[in-house]
Amino acid sequence: MRPAMLRISDITYSVEGRPLFEGASAVIPTGHKVGLVGQNGTGKTTLFRLIRGELALEGGEIAMPARAKIGGVAQEVPSSATSLLDTVLEADTERAGLMAEAETATDPHRIADIQHRLTDIDAWSAEARASAILKGLGFDTEAQGRPCSDFSGGWRMRVALAGVLFAQPDLLLLDEPTNYLDLEGSLWLESYLAKYPHTVIIISHDRGLLNRAVGSILHLENRKLTLWSGPYDQFARSRAALRAVQAAEAKKQEARRAHLQSFVDRFKAKASKAVQAQSRVKMLERMTPILAPEEARKVVFTFPEPEQLSPPIITMEGTAVGYDGPPVLRRLDLRIDQDDRIALLGRNGEGKSTLSKLLAGKLAPCEGRVVRSSKLRIGYFAQHQVDELHLDETPLQHILRLRPAEGQPRLRARLAGFGLGADQADTVVARLSGGQKARLSLLLATIDAPHLLILDEPTNHLDIESREALVEALTEYSGAVILVSHDMHLLGLVADRLWLVKGGAVVPYPHDLETYRRELLAGDDADKTAERPKEKAPRPSRDTVLALKAELRRAEERLAKLNEMRDKLAVKLADPELYERPGEAVVWQKKYAEVMEALDRAEGLWLAAAEKLEAAEA
């Protein structure tokens, strides 16, 4: 077992009398990559502040190794004349201090010490490392030399992230870093974090990142912390199984309690049964209540349904669009029907948002034409619209402006359909969470029952439950969807067509999202590789195919055995009498977790074997 980088012991903390942590404990081993998850408002960001020592604990202790460095992205870098590259280099304060001292030091021993330390921290490769991080986050060589003042707040947040990654703290704390990254930046960050040499804890609602970049999930629920082994999907399956077991245990105990109470009520007044009744009273007192898990919040989005229009709803013929200079996109010949679900792919700056604005009618074409159905209604959601809400008005006032003739009950029902209950409806926007603001903006974008819904990064600030609800709503929605998102999970579940925006053109992307992810991670060489003609692979021999079939059969047998073991353990864990022996119960729960982990690995091996056989028989 690795030594602990972070030890959280029995901590207690409240905000305005509301307890966020009560006797919460967890141990994060050195070098582990951990995803911190929990419903919005449970205290994830507060935990980061407690770890950094910005807030004082009411009880318990948070301990780390002496001299361990903690790093995180507190805020965007200031708008200054310093170049992006120099800003990132300055984030490693030890290196910056040593480099400055080396310029003025005169004592030979001190000069030697400085040079040795600079060598130890690999200071001489610093520029190359800083440049590579900036490139991964979307800044080319030319941009890296420009001053921070040239960039907007969102881009300066990326520079701040680049700085903390470059400084390589022993404990890296990241709070929703993909909220200000595009798909390319998010995928690069996933890959970078998986190889990061120290401990990482990341608050995120991005399932792709939580499945690929971390090896453990730290779950904050009911003011307690629980560390689960494995990525997010494994955590979700294990937790669902445990909740089912807990619900069954609680139900059985409640039936037993009711039976005992019934006996006591019937016979406590009868002398002949007094001893037995008293015995059952004691049994009732000794029974430790098994609480059924709280019902998971049912998060919903309710999109109004548009009427059907004759296809196509939009066509483009020889269309070009741009701003004041040369066109960003040229020679567009595109068609959209009402049943289309299209994801726009492409590197940052290629024109995805420009195409979205053209489709939404917010940009006029400079060449060619765009033909829209005469009755077409379009809903448009972009992150900047969340920032443009009226901070001093309530959600109810926002939709009252759009629907002045509707009664308040109907307006409140609309808000409830987007998860904004009675309390939020009458709360000024300034006091709403980021997720609640995003829900209000989605409501405003869809209130007219659009035939075409254009969503540019809709999941920023939405928690995992809200993202799943958005997938469900979009699946049931009968209008067309154009989607730009860094959330690969959302894209994979919603989109059935992929358009690549690249080099001023928009063309269908012929592969799947996983191929696109690999191409992005491969970098600039991927395009060159794709252009080279592929040599036809030799057809596998009959013996090879037979061996692959045997491998698949073994994988299937392994899966069947593990599923059988899981079912037996679930029955065992559902027995309430087991929990009268807590030590034994812990052993069986551990075995269940181990089987679930083995099942996850076995599913991966089975899938790999099936894909190899399919490729051989193609």
Side-chain angles (χ1 to χ4, degrees), residues 1-3 5 27-35 170-172 196-201 213-216 227 229:
M1 182 68 180
R2 295 187 192 182
M5 160 51 65
V27 176
I28 310 298
T30 297
H32 272 217
K33 313 296 188 300
V34 178
D170 303 296
L171 175 59
L172 176 60
Y196 186 76
H198 306 303
T199 309
V200 179
I201 305 178
V214 306
S216 306
L227 187 66
S229 178

Side-chain angles (χ1 to χ4, degrees), residues 539-551 612-613 616-617:
R539 190 166 184 78
S541 67
R542 183 172 178 274
D543 287 344
T544 300
V545 173
L546 288 174
L548 289 172
K549 285 183 177 178
E551 182 184 347
K612 282 195 283 186
L613 179 60
E617 291 180 332

Side-chain angles (χ1 to χ4, degrees), residues 8 149 283 349 359 399 410 435 446 492 540 585:
I8 301 170
S149 55
M283 288 174 67
L359 291 169
I399 60 169
R410 173 66 181 142
T446 57

Side-chain angles (χ1 to χ4, degrees), residues 240-525:
L242 185 60
R243 288 171 67 88
V245 168
Q246 287 173 333
E249 292 161 12
K251 189 174 181 181
K252 285 186 178 181
Q253 190 191 59
E254 187 55 37
R256 192 174 172 209
R257 184 183 287 277
H259 179 73
L260 291 171
Q261 188 65 53
S262 172
F263 185 94
V264 171
D265 293 342
R266 283 166 57 202
F267 297 116
K268 63 184 177 183
K270 289 192 176 182
S272 61
K273 296 284 188 179
V275 174
Q276 293 95 320
Q278 192 60 37
S279 171
R280 282 160 176 77
V281 168
K282 289 179 181 177
M283 288 174 67
L284 279 167
E285 289 171 351
R286 284 198 299 269
M287 286 176 73
T288 303
I290 300 172
L291 299 177
E294 292 179 16
E295 282 297 312
R297 290 181 308 159
K298 182 58 180 171
V299 182
V300 293
F301 288 101
T302 310
F303 293 161
E305 287 295 310
E307 72 279 12
Q308 288 294 311
L309 300 179
S310 300
I313 57 174
I314 294 183
T315 54
M316 295 186 193
E317 299 170 1
T319 307
V321 64
Y323 300 92
D324 294 332
V328 175
L329 302 171
R330 300 175 297 278
R331 296 187 293 280
L332 302 181
D333 293 292
L334 305 170
R335 167 182 171 141
I336 298 174
D337 295 333
Q338 194 166 333
D339 60 354
D340 276 332
R341 300 283 195 278
I342 301 168
L344 302 184
L345 308 178
R347 294 182 182 275
N348 185 69
E350 291 282 4
K352 299 189 296 294
S353 292
T354 301
L355 178 59
S356 298
K357 290 173 184 173
L358 173 66
L359 291 169
K362 297 183 179 296
L363 276 178
C366 51
E367 292 176 21
R369 63 181 191 145
V370 178
V371 181
R372 296 179 175 85
S373 173
S374 60
K375 296 181 180 178
L376 179 64
R377 295 187 301 275
I378 298 174
Y380 179 68
F381 173 93
Q383 189 54 41
H384 69 83
Q385 290 175 302
V386 177
D387 301 327
E388 292 170 4
L389 294 169
H390 300 279
L391 297 179
D392 58 343
E393 291 186 5
T394 66
L396 188 60
Q397 288 171 317
H398 276 79
I399 60 169
L400 185 59
R401 188 183 302 110
L402 298 178
R403 292 287 186 276
E406 284 189 16
Q408 280 214 13
R410 173 66 181 142
L411 296 178
R412 289 181 182 276
R414 286 184 183 274
L415 289 164
F418 278 74
L420 296 166
D423 290 344
Q424 291 88 34
D426 296 314
T427 300
V428 293
V429 166
R431 296 184 59 192
L432 296 179
S433 69
Q436 290 163 345
K437 291 174 188 173
R439 291 167 170 281
L440 176 57
S441 291
L442 277 168
L443 167 56
L444 299 176
T446 57
I447 197 167
D448 289 327
H451 306 94
L452 169 62
L453 183 56
I454 301 169
L455 301 174
D456 193 343
E457 295 292 1
T459 60
N460 285 357
H461 305 297
L462 292 183
D463 59 21
I464 289 177
E465 292 85 356
S466 298
R467 292 178 186 214
E468 295 302 323
L470 181 59
V471 168
E472 287 185 29
L474 290 174
T475 302
E476 295 173 5
Y477 172 61
S478 63
V481 178
I482 303 290
L483 190 57
V484 178
S485 179
H486 66 261
D487 188 331
M488 290 280 282
H489 181 72
L490 176 73
L491 294 179
L493 290 176
V494 173
D496 52 27
R497 296 177 66 192
L498 304 175
W499 283 359
L500 180 62
V501 184
K502 182 177 179 181
V506 180
V507 296
Y509 181 72
H511 309 297
D512 59 13
L513 278 170
E514 187 55 34
T515 303
Y516 183 67
R517 188 174 84 87
R518 288 197 298 268
E519 287 178 2
L520 287 176
L521 292 174
D524 298 332
D525 294 334

